[in-house]
Amino acid sequence: MGWIEFALAMVLFMASHRIPAALGVKEGLVRVLGARGYTALFSLASLALLAWVIVAAGRAPFVPLWDQTLAARWAVNLVMPLAVALAVFAIAAPNPFAFEGRKGDFDPDRPGIAGLTRQPLLWALLLWSCAHLGANGDLAHAILFGTFAGFSALGMWIVEARRRREMGADAFDRAARRTGLVPFAALISGRWRPASGPSVARLALAIGTWALLWYLHQPVIGVSPLP
């Protein structure tokens, strides 16, 4: 039953990110709830399904593939603060390029988080999955984190292509002139300079979220995050 539950959770999570748009459910919910209401509902549903997937992976039969190393455990602790910060700064931020962003108040000369990367949530997911993949060498978790790594990497290509098609190539390039897909690429190249420091409220929320996830990891997941 462990493999069946894991497979069902994975299928439902992946389907939840494709079927609503394909069947027109998304458009109907947006009309009823508004864009922000739909985003909030979708985010809560995604988090609930993600939690189920992670729990189901832990219940699946243990099939070892590689040994866990101290370096891999350290990598998780070093990468997760960045992943959490990307996610926190991305949510509800003006960003017409990402699937989760707002379009109306985006300023191409002051792109905010999009100057750091146009796909912050997908990069957060990719960092989370890759870091945890190295630290979990059993079959179920290799499938879990490997699938999410592929999902987030492929998702960047799909979302970028969709936004370019929706906006038109010229409009996309004009809006994206001070942004980059790869984190820090626009900063390193000189195309983008932060207009101000990071939001204190979002920074505090990022630190608090990371601390809460770190504290709850052992009682919820059953494994200490300590290296």
Side-chain angles (χ1 to χ4, degrees):
M1 290 299 295
W3 284 117
I4 294 175
E5 180 191 9
F6 178 51
L8 179 61
M10 288 288 292
V11 168
L12 288 178
F13 180 88
M14 295 301 173
S16 71
H17 287 73
R18 180 57 185 165
I19 291 178
L23 297 182
V25 176
K26 176 180 178 180
E27 289 75 11
L29 288 174
V30 169
R31 285 194 297 270
V32 174
L33 302 174
R36 291 190 179 183
Y38 172 78
T39 299
L41 177 63
F42 180 78
S43 298
L44 288 174
S46 294
L47 286 174
L49 286 171
L50 178 61
W52 182 28
V53 169
I54 294 172
V55 171
R59 292 173 178 164
F62 183 82
V63 180
L65 298 177
W66 61 81
D67 293 332
Q68 189 179 93
T69 65
L70 182 61
R73 293 181 67 88
W74 267 111
V76 177
N77 282 272
L78 294 174
V79 167
M80 281 307 297
L82 176 58
V84 171
L86 282 172
V88 169
F89 276 87
I91 295 173
N95 183 358
F97 309 104
F99 69 90
E100 82 285 348
R102 300 199 313 266
K103 301 178 181 180
D105 49 359
F106 177 76
D107 181 356
D109 291 320
R110 299 164 63 93
I113 187 64
L116 187 65
T117 172
R118 291 192 295 269
Q119 305 298 334
L121 270 185
L122 289 174
W123 273 106
L125 183 61
L126 182 61
L127 290 172
W128 169 77
S129 54
C130 287
H132 283 79
L133 178 60
N136 292 272
D138 64 285
L139 180 59
H141 286 93
I143 294 173
L144 168 66
F145 295 118
T147 299
F148 277 116
F151 173 80
S152 51
L154 180 61
M156 290 185 207
W157 178 80
I158 293 174
V159 172
E160 290 274 304
R162 182 183 301 159
R163 293 294 178 261
R164 179 175 288 274
R165 184 172 61 253
E166 292 172 348
M167 298 169 66
D170 291 340
F172 181 96
D173 290 339
R174 286 194 300 271
R177 64 184 180 274
R178 298 191 186 280
T179 71
L181 176 59
V182 178
F184 301 104
L187 179 65
I188 294 172
S189 67
R191 289 183 289 111
W192 172 67
R193 289 289 181 270
S196 61
S199 164
V200 175
R202 285 190 182 250
L203 183 59
L205 181 59
I207 294 172
T209 301
W210 169 80
L212 182 64
L213 290 174
W214 195 93
Y215 176 77
L216 292 177
H217 199 280
Q218 183 164 2
V220 174
I221 305 300
V223 178
S224 172
L226 287 170

